[in-house]
Amino acid sequence: MTSQTELVKSSFAAVEPYGTQVTEYFYDHLFEHNPAVRPLFAEHMGEQRDRLWQALRALVSKVEDTEAVTRMLDGLGTRHVGYGAAPAHLPAVGASLLASLKHFAGPAWTPETEAAWVAVYGVITDVMGQAMERAGAPAAAGAAQD
């Protein structure tokens, strides 16, 4: 296991006890900083928060398995196009994810941990963005704003 993988797993272990509080914080942050994306989501977010939490747990549990992570992210990217998501939304999602993890990780969040998550999110952006483009999402449609 690489140091980067260890940092991702250990920091996620620090936030895992907070469960869907992490995803509540995530969506609050996302919508506050990017109000234009709010219409892409259902009015009631309970199920969506649960799905995001499950996806994060699955991603972290498989972070060493590049092939499995790529398959998972490719499918997520393709499905998100159906909800109106586009690659241009991904940086805002990443910023909110990092803010959420940092908020709940406490002392487990270090500059090295942040760098590891930035690298992982770079892979997420690349794989999901390519899948979104293949599925017909315009590259710059509905860009989120900060």
Side-chain angles (χ1 to χ4, degrees):
M1 193 178 330
T2 68
S3 173
Q4 184 179 58
T5 301
E6 290 169 5
L7 288 168
V8 167
K9 286 186 172 264
S10 65
S11 60
F12 192 76
V15 304
E16 197 161 16
Y18 299 100
T20 57
Q21 291 176 25
V22 177
T23 57
E24 288 172 10
Y25 187 95
F26 166 83
Y27 284 113
D28 287 347
H29 187 278
L30 180 65
F31 299 152
E32 178 182 338
H33 294 279
N34 304 280
V37 302
R38 182 61 182 101
L40 299 177
F41 295 89
E43 183 179 341
H44 302 288
M45 296 291 297
E47 186 178 336
Q48 179 62 36
R49 284 190 299 267
D50 292 344
R51 285 194 312 245
L52 174 59
W53 186 245
Q54 291 168 8
L56 282 172
R57 289 178 75 197
L59 174 71
V60 171
S61 74
K62 296 176 177 158
V63 73
E64 301 105 342
D65 186 346
T66 305
E67 190 175 309
V69 168
T70 300
R71 275 193 312 272
M72 183 177 101
L73 294 172
D74 192 70
L76 283 171
T78 301
R79 284 191 303 280
H80 277 75
V81 170
Y83 304 120
H89 295 124
L90 295 173
V93 169
S96 293
L97 176 62
L98 292 177
S100 302
L101 295 170
K102 181 178 182 176
H103 179 80
F104 288 96
W109 195 261
T110 65
E112 295 80 15
T113 302
E114 184 166 344
W117 274 100
V118 166
V120 166
Y121 195 73
V123 172
I124 293 170
T125 299
D126 289 345
V127 175
M128 283 186 70
Q130 290 171 16
M132 290 170 144
E133 289 172 3
R134 282 193 311 274
Q145 47 194 330
D146 199 20

